[in-house]
Amino acid sequence: MDGDVIKLLCDGLPAEAVLTDPDITRSYANDMASFCPAGRPAAVVLPRTVDQVRHVMRTATALRVPVVPQGARTGLSGAANAIEGCVVLSLTAMNKIIEINAVDRTAVVEPGVVNAELSRAVAEHGLAYPPDPSSWEECTIGGNIGTASGGLCCVKYGVTADYVLGLDVVLADGRLLRTGRTTAKGV
């Protein structure tokens, strides 16, 4: 089965986006919670676009292969740990800040944007992004959302979820779901 999923993944992704070397894939097996069980991934994929993520999900679903999404793997919960034979979907290459709208006080970012980079980018517009997990210099927004991370400022300013207005989510069958809104205020 590993060969089938790898071949089909390679059919729709750039060659450099599919990692299969066991020494490399092993390094993606777990997050910082190395005491939690982790399996051996069949492949690690590093998509750069939403369409590439959709291809990964369609392929994995068609072959009934589990997918484990990962950010920077700085979490301490084991939530990003691989399952034996899975496809690790590393979203770190999707690291663009697409838009900062100072008037509406919103930002549109890809999941691999590092928390500290977003904080510095919005500060240039006189804004603040206060969620600050202890790994904020390396953790990613997607991982922060996936683990409901907070930080020292969360007591005063709230956790990551308090700053998410909307999401584009790729479902297991590859469909794209849009949730929320793009304005700071909505009904």
Side-chain angles (χ1 to χ4, degrees), residues 130-166:
D132 65 337
S134 60
S135 60
W136 79 293
E137 286 286 352
E138 59 187 326
C139 64
T140 60
I141 297 299
N144 292 175
I145 292 169
T147 58
S149 63
L152 293 176
C153 291
C154 74
V155 173
K156 183 173 182 179
Y157 296 108
V159 296
T160 300
D162 295 318
Y163 294 87
V164 177
L165 299 177

PDB file of all heavy atoms in Angstrom, residues 130-166:
ATOM      1  N   PRO A 130      -1.453  39.084  19.996  1.00  0.00           N
ATOM      2  CA  PRO A 130      -0.911  38.728  21.301  1.00  0.00           C
ATOM      3  C   PRO A 130      -0.778  37.246  21.664  1.00  0.00           C
ATOM      4  O   PRO A 130      -0.020  36.957  22.584  1.00  0.00           O
ATOM      5  CB  PRO A 130      -1.861  39.430  22.281  1.00  0.00           C
ATOM      6  CG  PRO A 130      -3.110  39.658  21.545  1.00  0.00           C
ATOM      7  CD  PRO A 130      -2.760  39.737  20.099  1.00  0.00           C
ATOM      8  N   PRO A 131      -1.477  36.287  21.027  1.00  0.00           N
ATOM      9  CA  PRO A 131      -1.235  34.909  21.464  1.00  0.00           C
ATOM     10  C   PRO A 131       0.248  34.553  21.343  1.00  0.00           C
ATOM     11  O   PRO A 131       0.851  34.737  20.297  1.00  0.00           O
ATOM     12  CB  PRO A 131      -2.086  34.070  20.511  1.00  0.00           C
ATOM     13  CG  PRO A 131      -3.188  34.987  20.090  1.00  0.00           C
ATOM     14  CD  PRO A 131      -2.524  36.345  20.001  1.00  0.00           C
ATOM     15  N   ASP A 132       0.817  34.090  22.445  1.00  0.00           N
ATOM     16  CA  ASP A 132       2.267  33.885  22.494  1.00  0.00           C
ATOM     17  C   ASP A 132       2.630  32.573  23.184  1.00  0.00           C
ATOM     18  O   ASP A 132       3.163  32.569  24.282  1.00  0.00           O
ATOM     19  CB  ASP A 132       2.941  35.063  23.198  1.00  0.00           C
ATOM     20  CG  ASP A 132       2.533  35.167  24.664  1.00  0.00           C
ATOM     21  OD1 ASP A 132       1.450  34.658  25.020  1.00  0.00           O
ATOM     22  OD2 ASP A 132       3.295  35.732  25.455  1.00  0.00           O
ATOM     23  N   PRO A 133       2.364  31.440  22.539  1.00  0.00           N
ATOM     24  CA  PRO A 133       2.807  30.187  23.139  1.00  0.00           C
ATOM     25  C   PRO A 133       4.310  30.266  23.425  1.00  0.00           C
ATOM     26  O   PRO A 133       5.024  31.053  22.796  1.00  0.00           O
ATOM     27  CB  PRO A 133       2.518  29.146  22.060  1.00  0.00           C
ATOM     28  CG  PRO A 133       1.541  29.793  21.144  1.00  0.00           C
ATOM     29  CD  PRO A 133       1.791  31.266  21.219  1.00  0.00           C
ATOM     30  N   SER A 134       4.797  29.473  24.334  1.00  0.00           N
ATOM     31  CA  SER A 134       6.216  29.560  24.702  1.00  0.00           C
ATOM     32  C   SER A 134       7.140  29.320  23.511  1.00  0.00           C
ATOM     33  O   SER A 134       8.271  29.772  23.506  1.00  0.00           O
ATOM     34  CB  SER A 134       6.537  28.589  25.831  1.00  0.00           C
ATOM     35  OG  SER A 134       6.265  27.262  25.433  1.00  0.00           O
ATOM     36  N   SER A 135       6.655  28.649  22.489  1.00  0.00           N
ATOM     37  CA  SER A 135       7.458  28.395  21.288  1.00  0.00           C
ATOM     38  C   SER A 135       7.129  29.394  20.179  1.00  0.00           C
ATOM     39  O   SER A 135       7.347  29.112  19.010  1.00  0.00           O
ATOM     40  CB  SER A 135       7.217  26.967  20.795  1.00  0.00           C
ATOM     41  OG  SER A 135       5.845  26.785  20.478  1.00  0.00           O
ATOM     42  N   TRP A 136       6.632  30.577  20.526  1.00  0.00           N
ATOM     43  CA  TRP A 136       6.097  31.514  19.541  1.00  0.00           C
ATOM     44  C   TRP A 136       7.097  31.931  18.471  1.00  0.00           C
ATOM     45  O   TRP A 136       6.705  32.323  17.386  1.00  0.00           O
ATOM     46  CB  TRP A 136       5.490  32.730  20.233  1.00  0.00           C
ATOM     47  CG  TRP A 136       6.466  33.761  20.697  1.00  0.00           C
ATOM     48  CD1 TRP A 136       7.392  33.638  21.685  1.00  0.00           C
ATOM     49  CD2 TRP A 136       6.601  35.064  20.182  1.00  0.00           C
ATOM     50  NE1 TRP A 136       8.096  34.804  21.824  1.00  0.00           N
ATOM     51  CE2 TRP A 136       7.633  35.703  20.909  1.00  0.00           C
ATOM     52  CE3 TRP A 136       5.961  35.780  19.180  1.00  0.00           C
ATOM     53  CZ2 TRP A 136       8.039  37.003  20.659  1.00  0.00           C
ATOM     54  CZ3 TRP A 136       6.376  37.079  18.935  1.00  0.00           C
ATOM     55  CH2 TRP A 136       7.401  37.677  19.672  1.00  0.00           C
ATOM     56  N   GLU A 137       8.389  31.812  18.721  1.00  0.00           N
ATOM     57  CA  GLU A 137       9.387  32.157  17.709  1.00  0.00           C
ATOM     58  C   GLU A 137       9.502  31.090  16.623  1.00  0.00           C
ATOM     59  O   GLU A 137      10.113  31.330  15.585  1.00  0.00           O
ATOM     60  CB  GLU A 137      10.768  32.369  18.350  1.00  0.00           C
ATOM     61  CG  GLU A 137      10.895  33.668  19.113  1.00  0.00           C
ATOM     62  CD  GLU A 137      11.014  34.900  18.208  1.00  0.00           C
ATOM     63  OE1 GLU A 137      11.155  34.775  16.980  1.00  0.00           O
ATOM     64  OE2 GLU A 137      10.948  36.006  18.764  1.00  0.00           O
ATOM     65  N   GLU A 138       8.920  29.908  16.841  1.00  0.00           N
ATOM     66  CA  GLU A 138       9.007  28.846  15.833  1.00  0.00           C
ATOM     67  C   GLU A 138       7.695  28.133  15.545  1.00  0.00           C
ATOM     68  O   GLU A 138       7.563  27.484  14.518  1.00  0.00           O
ATOM     69  CB  GLU A 138      10.079  27.831  16.222  1.00  0.00           C
ATOM     70  CG  GLU A 138       9.842  27.165  17.563  1.00  0.00           C
ATOM     71  CD  GLU A 138      11.002  26.283  17.994  1.00  0.00           C
ATOM     72  OE1 GLU A 138      11.645  25.680  17.130  1.00  0.00           O
ATOM     73  OE2 GLU A 138      11.235  26.208  19.202  1.00  0.00           O
ATOM     74  N   CYS A 139       6.693  28.249  16.411  1.00  0.00           N
ATOM     75  CA  CYS A 139       5.428  27.546  16.168  1.00  0.00           C
ATOM     76  C   CYS A 139       4.638  28.238  15.065  1.00  0.00           C
ATOM     77  O   CYS A 139       4.831  29.416  14.782  1.00  0.00           O
ATOM     78  CB  CYS A 139       4.616  27.442  17.453  1.00  0.00           C
ATOM     79  SG  CYS A 139       4.064  29.013  18.143  1.00  0.00           S
ATOM     80  N   THR A 140       3.740  27.496  14.433  1.00  0.00           N
ATOM     81  CA  THR A 140       2.990  28.025  13.298  1.00  0.00           C
ATOM     82  C   THR A 140       1.533  28.291  13.670  1.00  0.00           C
ATOM     83  O   THR A 140       0.981  27.676  14.584  1.00  0.00           O
ATOM     84  CB  THR A 140       3.028  27.052  12.105  1.00  0.00           C
ATOM     85  OG1 THR A 140       2.457  25.810  12.503  1.00  0.00           O
ATOM     86  CG2 THR A 140       4.457  26.841  11.603  1.00  0.00           C
ATOM     87  N   ILE A 141       0.925  29.193  12.917  1.00  0.00           N
ATOM     88  CA  ILE A 141      -0.471  29.559  13.165  1.00  0.00           C
ATOM     89  C   ILE A 141      -1.384  28.334  13.028  1.00  0.00           C
ATOM     90  O   ILE A 141      -2.268  28.125  13.853  1.00  0.00           O
ATOM     91  CB  ILE A 141      -0.912  30.690  12.206  1.00  0.00           C
ATOM     92  CG1 ILE A 141      -0.092  31.959  12.456  1.00  0.00           C
ATOM     93  CG2 ILE A 141      -2.401  30.951  12.321  1.00  0.00           C
ATOM     94  CD1 ILE A 141      -0.211  32.556  13.845  1.00  0.00           C
ATOM     95  N   GLY A 142      -1.161  27.511  11.997  1.00  0.00           N
ATOM     96  CA  GLY A 142      -1.987  26.307  11.832  1.00  0.00           C
ATOM     97  C   GLY A 142      -1.882  25.379  13.027  1.00  0.00           C
ATOM     98  O   GLY A 142      -2.882  24.854  13.509  1.00  0.00           O
ATOM     99  N   GLY A 143      -0.670  25.173  13.518  1.00  0.00           N
ATOM    100  CA  GLY A 143      -0.488  24.346  14.709  1.00  0.00           C
ATOM    101  C   GLY A 143      -1.109  24.978  15.935  1.00  0.00           C
ATOM    102  O   GLY A 143      -1.693  24.294  16.777  1.00  0.00           O
ATOM    103  N   ASN A 144      -1.013  26.313  16.044  1.00  0.00           N
ATOM    104  CA  ASN A 144      -1.639  27.019  17.164  1.00  0.00           C
ATOM    105  C   ASN A 144      -3.146  26.819  17.155  1.00  0.00           C
ATOM    106  O   ASN A 144      -3.757  26.587  18.201  1.00  0.00           O
ATOM    107  CB  ASN A 144      -1.345  28.519  17.103  1.00  0.00           C
ATOM    108  CG  ASN A 144       0.103  28.897  17.339  1.00  0.00           C
ATOM    109  OD1 ASN A 144       0.457  30.054  17.219  1.00  0.00           O
ATOM    110  ND2 ASN A 144       0.966  27.952  17.668  1.00  0.00           N
ATOM    111  N   ILE A 145      -3.751  26.900  15.975  1.00  0.00           N
ATOM    112  CA  ILE A 145      -5.193  26.699  15.850  1.00  0.00           C
ATOM    113  C   ILE A 145      -5.547  25.248  16.177  1.00  0.00           C
ATOM    114  O   ILE A 145      -6.487  24.973  16.918  1.00  0.00           O
ATOM    115  CB  ILE A 145      -5.692  27.082  14.440  1.00  0.00           C
ATOM    116  CG1 ILE A 145      -5.570  28.590  14.238  1.00  0.00           C
ATOM    117  CG2 ILE A 145      -7.132  26.623  14.225  1.00  0.00           C
ATOM    118  CD1 ILE A 145      -5.772  29.045  12.806  1.00  0.00           C
ATOM    119  N   GLY A 146      -4.756  24.315  15.644  1.00  0.00           N
ATOM    120  CA  GLY A 146      -5.033  22.896  15.847  1.00  0.00           C
ATOM    121  C   GLY A 146      -4.936  22.448  17.292  1.00  0.00           C
ATOM    122  O   GLY A 146      -5.595  21.479  17.696  1.00  0.00           O
ATOM    123  N   THR A 147      -4.144  23.141  18.101  1.00  0.00           N
ATOM    124  CA  THR A 147      -3.971  22.738  19.500  1.00  0.00           C
ATOM    125  C   THR A 147      -4.535  23.758  20.481  1.00  0.00           C
ATOM    126  O   THR A 147      -4.344  23.614  21.687  1.00  0.00           O
ATOM    127  CB  THR A 147      -2.478  22.517  19.819  1.00  0.00           C
ATOM    128  OG1 THR A 147      -1.761  23.728  19.549  1.00  0.00           O
ATOM    129  CG2 THR A 147      -1.896  21.379  19.011  1.00  0.00           C
ATOM    130  N   ALA A 148      -5.230  24.777  19.986  1.00  0.00           N
ATOM    131  CA  ALA A 148      -5.827  25.805  20.849  1.00  0.00           C
ATOM    132  C   ALA A 148      -4.793  26.411  21.789  1.00  0.00           C
ATOM    133  O   ALA A 148      -5.020  26.551  22.978  1.00  0.00           O
ATOM    134  CB  ALA A 148      -7.015  25.248  21.622  1.00  0.00           C
ATOM    135  N   SER A 149      -3.642  26.771  21.238  1.00  0.00           N
ATOM    136  CA  SER A 149      -2.546  27.246  22.075  1.00  0.00           C
ATOM    137  C   SER A 149      -2.825  28.630  22.639  1.00  0.00           C
ATOM    138  O   SER A 149      -3.624  29.393  22.119  1.00  0.00           O
ATOM    139  CB  SER A 149      -1.242  27.237  21.285  1.00  0.00           C
ATOM    140  OG  SER A 149      -1.332  28.117  20.199  1.00  0.00           O
ATOM    141  N   GLY A 150      -2.119  28.931  23.705  1.00  0.00           N
ATOM    142  CA  GLY A 150      -2.264  30.215  24.384  1.00  0.00           C
ATOM    143  C   GLY A 150      -0.913  30.838  24.607  1.00  0.00           C
ATOM    144  O   GLY A 150      -0.179  31.108  23.679  1.00  0.00           O
ATOM    145  N   GLY A 151      -0.537  31.014  25.845  1.00  0.00           N
ATOM    146  CA  GLY A 151       0.730  31.631  26.208  1.00  0.00           C
ATOM    147  C   GLY A 151       0.529  32.541  27.391  1.00  0.00           C
ATOM    148  O   GLY A 151      -0.565  32.640  27.946  1.00  0.00           O
ATOM    149  N   LEU A 152       1.584  33.213  27.783  1.00  0.00           N
ATOM    150  CA  LEU A 152       1.517  34.062  28.973  1.00  0.00           C
ATOM    151  C   LEU A 152       0.511  35.201  28.829  1.00  0.00           C
ATOM    152  O   LEU A 152      -0.092  35.628  29.799  1.00  0.00           O
ATOM    153  CB  LEU A 152       2.901  34.621  29.291  1.00  0.00           C
ATOM    154  CG  LEU A 152       3.941  33.581  29.730  1.00  0.00           C
ATOM    155  CD1 LEU A 152       5.295  34.247  29.918  1.00  0.00           C
ATOM    156  CD2 LEU A 152       3.492  32.892  31.001  1.00  0.00           C
ATOM    157  N   CYS A 153       0.336  35.716  27.621  1.00  0.00           N
ATOM    158  CA  CYS A 153      -0.596  36.838  27.421  1.00  0.00           C
ATOM    159  C   CYS A 153      -2.054  36.395  27.354  1.00  0.00           C
ATOM    160  O   CYS A 153      -2.948  37.239  27.324  1.00  0.00           O
ATOM    161  CB  CYS A 153      -0.242  37.589  26.135  1.00  0.00           C
ATOM    162  SG  CYS A 153       1.319  38.486  26.241  1.00  0.00           S
ATOM    163  N   CYS A 154      -2.316  35.099  27.341  1.00  0.00           N
ATOM    164  CA  CYS A 154      -3.693  34.639  27.135  1.00  0.00           C
ATOM    165  C   CYS A 154      -4.625  35.011  28.284  1.00  0.00           C
ATOM    166  O   CYS A 154      -5.818  35.167  28.074  1.00  0.00           O
ATOM    167  CB  CYS A 154      -3.746  33.142  26.855  1.00  0.00           C
ATOM    168  SG  CYS A 154      -3.461  32.089  28.282  1.00  0.00           S
ATOM    169  N   VAL A 155      -4.101  35.197  29.472  1.00  0.00           N
ATOM    170  CA  VAL A 155      -4.954  35.581  30.598  1.00  0.00           C
ATOM    171  C   VAL A 155      -5.581  36.946  30.325  1.00  0.00           C
ATOM    172  O   VAL A 155      -6.757  37.160  30.577  1.00  0.00           O
ATOM    173  CB  VAL A 155      -4.156  35.599  31.920  1.00  0.00           C
ATOM    174  CG1 VAL A 155      -4.982  36.159  33.058  1.00  0.00           C
ATOM    175  CG2 VAL A 155      -3.671  34.201  32.250  1.00  0.00           C
ATOM    176  N   LYS A 156      -4.794  37.840  29.766  1.00  0.00           N
ATOM    177  CA  LYS A 156      -5.300  39.191  29.497  1.00  0.00           C
ATOM    178  C   LYS A 156      -5.961  39.303  28.120  1.00  0.00           C
ATOM    179  O   LYS A 156      -6.980  39.967  27.973  1.00  0.00           O
ATOM    180  CB  LYS A 156      -4.158  40.205  29.593  1.00  0.00           C
ATOM    181  CG  LYS A 156      -4.597  41.640  29.402  1.00  0.00           C
ATOM    182  CD  LYS A 156      -3.488  42.618  29.671  1.00  0.00           C
ATOM    183  CE  LYS A 156      -3.984  44.054  29.523  1.00  0.00           C
ATOM    184  NZ  LYS A 156      -2.926  45.017  29.794  1.00  0.00           N
ATOM    185  N   TYR A 157      -5.365  38.659  27.108  1.00  0.00           N
ATOM    186  CA  TYR A 157      -5.807  38.893  25.735  1.00  0.00           C
ATOM    187  C   TYR A 157      -6.536  37.726  25.076  1.00  0.00           C
ATOM    188  O   TYR A 157      -7.103  37.890  24.009  1.00  0.00           O
ATOM    189  CB  TYR A 157      -4.611  39.273  24.853  1.00  0.00           C
ATOM    190  CG  TYR A 157      -3.975  40.572  25.271  1.00  0.00           C
ATOM    191  CD1 TYR A 157      -2.742  40.584  25.891  1.00  0.00           C
ATOM    192  CD2 TYR A 157      -4.612  41.780  25.035  1.00  0.00           C
ATOM    193  CE1 TYR A 157      -2.148  41.782  26.273  1.00  0.00           C
ATOM    194  CE2 TYR A 157      -4.034  42.982  25.412  1.00  0.00           C
ATOM    195  CZ  TYR A 157      -2.799  42.973  26.040  1.00  0.00           C
ATOM    196  OH  TYR A 157      -2.227  44.150  26.411  1.00  0.00           O
ATOM    197  N   GLY A 158      -6.483  36.547  25.653  1.00  0.00           N
ATOM    198  CA  GLY A 158      -7.147  35.395  25.065  1.00  0.00           C
ATOM    199  C   GLY A 158      -6.194  34.492  24.301  1.00  0.00           C
ATOM    200  O   GLY A 158      -5.028  34.821  24.093  1.00  0.00           O
ATOM    201  N   VAL A 159      -6.705  33.351  23.902  1.00  0.00           N
ATOM    202  CA  VAL A 159      -5.919  32.336  23.202  1.00  0.00           C
ATOM    203  C   VAL A 159      -6.116  32.473  21.691  1.00  0.00           C
ATOM    204  O   VAL A 159      -6.894  33.305  21.229  1.00  0.00           O
ATOM    205  CB  VAL A 159      -6.308  30.911  23.678  1.00  0.00           C
ATOM    206  CG1 VAL A 159      -5.961  30.716  25.139  1.00  0.00           C
ATOM    207  CG2 VAL A 159      -7.784  30.643  23.441  1.00  0.00           C
ATOM    208  N   THR A 160      -5.432  31.662  20.942  1.00  0.00           N
ATOM    209  CA  THR A 160      -5.464  31.718  19.478  1.00  0.00           C
ATOM    210  C   THR A 160      -6.892  31.738  18.940  1.00  0.00           C
ATOM    211  O   THR A 160      -7.216  32.532  18.052  1.00  0.00           O
ATOM    212  CB  THR A 160      -4.691  30.525  18.888  1.00  0.00           C
ATOM    213  OG1 THR A 160      -3.333  30.597  19.354  1.00  0.00           O
ATOM    214  CG2 THR A 160      -4.701  30.544  17.379  1.00  0.00           C
ATOM    215  N   ALA A 161      -7.756  30.878  19.464  1.00  0.00           N
ATOM    216  CA  ALA A 161      -9.131  30.783  18.959  1.00  0.00           C
ATOM    217  C   ALA A 161      -9.869  32.116  19.019  1.00  0.00           C
ATOM    218  O   ALA A 161     -10.756  32.371  18.204  1.00  0.00           O
ATOM    219  CB  ALA A 161      -9.901  29.718  19.728  1.00  0.00           C
ATOM    220  N   ASP A 162      -9.502  32.978  19.966  1.00  0.00           N
ATOM    221  CA  ASP A 162     -10.155  34.276  20.083  1.00  0.00           C
ATOM    222  C   ASP A 162      -9.794  35.210  18.935  1.00  0.00           C
ATOM    223  O   ASP A 162     -10.420  36.259  18.764  1.00  0.00           O
ATOM    224  CB  ASP A 162      -9.773  34.930  21.419  1.00  0.00           C
ATOM    225  CG  ASP A 162     -10.288  34.148  22.610  1.00  0.00           C
ATOM    226  OD1 ASP A 162     -11.445  33.678  22.561  1.00  0.00           O
ATOM    227  OD2 ASP A 162      -9.522  33.990  23.580  1.00  0.00           O
ATOM    228  N   TYR A 163      -8.794  34.846  18.137  1.00  0.00           N
ATOM    229  CA  TYR A 163      -8.327  35.696  17.048  1.00  0.00           C
ATOM    230  C   TYR A 163      -8.586  35.103  15.668  1.00  0.00           C
ATOM    231  O   TYR A 163      -8.151  35.662  14.666  1.00  0.00           O
ATOM    232  CB  TYR A 163      -6.832  36.006  17.228  1.00  0.00           C
ATOM    233  CG  TYR A 163      -6.619  36.856  18.462  1.00  0.00           C
ATOM    234  CD1 TYR A 163      -6.458  36.281  19.704  1.00  0.00           C
ATOM    235  CD2 TYR A 163      -6.674  38.242  18.364  1.00  0.00           C
ATOM    236  CE1 TYR A 163      -6.318  37.065  20.844  1.00  0.00           C
ATOM    237  CE2 TYR A 163      -6.544  39.031  19.492  1.00  0.00           C
ATOM    238  CZ  TYR A 163      -6.366  38.432  20.725  1.00  0.00           C
ATOM    239  OH  TYR A 163      -6.251  39.209  21.849  1.00  0.00           O
ATOM    240  N   VAL A 164      -9.272  33.994  15.622  1.00  0.00           N
ATOM    241  CA  VAL A 164      -9.584  33.353  14.339  1.00  0.00           C
ATOM    242  C   VAL A 164     -11.010  33.719  13.953  1.00  0.00           C
ATOM    243  O   VAL A 164     -11.958  33.367  14.647  1.00  0.00           O
ATOM    244  CB  VAL A 164      -9.422  31.815  14.422  1.00  0.00           C
ATOM    245  CG1 VAL A 164      -9.820  31.164  13.099  1.00  0.00           C
ATOM    246  CG2 VAL A 164      -7.988  31.454  14.785  1.00  0.00           C
ATOM    247  N   LEU A 165     -11.149  34.430  12.832  1.00  0.00           N
ATOM    248  CA  LEU A 165     -12.467  34.847  12.362  1.00  0.00           C
ATOM    249  C   LEU A 165     -13.041  33.879  11.338  1.00  0.00           C
ATOM    250  O   LEU A 165     -14.248  33.770  11.194  1.00  0.00           O
ATOM    251  CB  LEU A 165     -12.388  36.241  11.733  1.00  0.00           C
ATOM    252  CG  LEU A 165     -11.918  37.362  12.649  1.00  0.00           C
ATOM    253  CD1 LEU A 165     -11.819  38.667  11.870  1.00  0.00           C
ATOM    254  CD2 LEU A 165     -12.853  37.509  13.828  1.00  0.00           C
ATOM    255  N   GLY A 166     -12.175  33.212  10.599  1.00  0.00           N
ATOM    256  CA  GLY A 166     -12.627  32.303   9.559  1.00  0.00           C
ATOM    257  C   GLY A 166     -11.505  31.374   9.151  1.00  0.00           C
ATOM    258  O   GLY A 166     -10.335  31.659   9.396  1.00  0.00           O
TER     259      GLY A 166
END
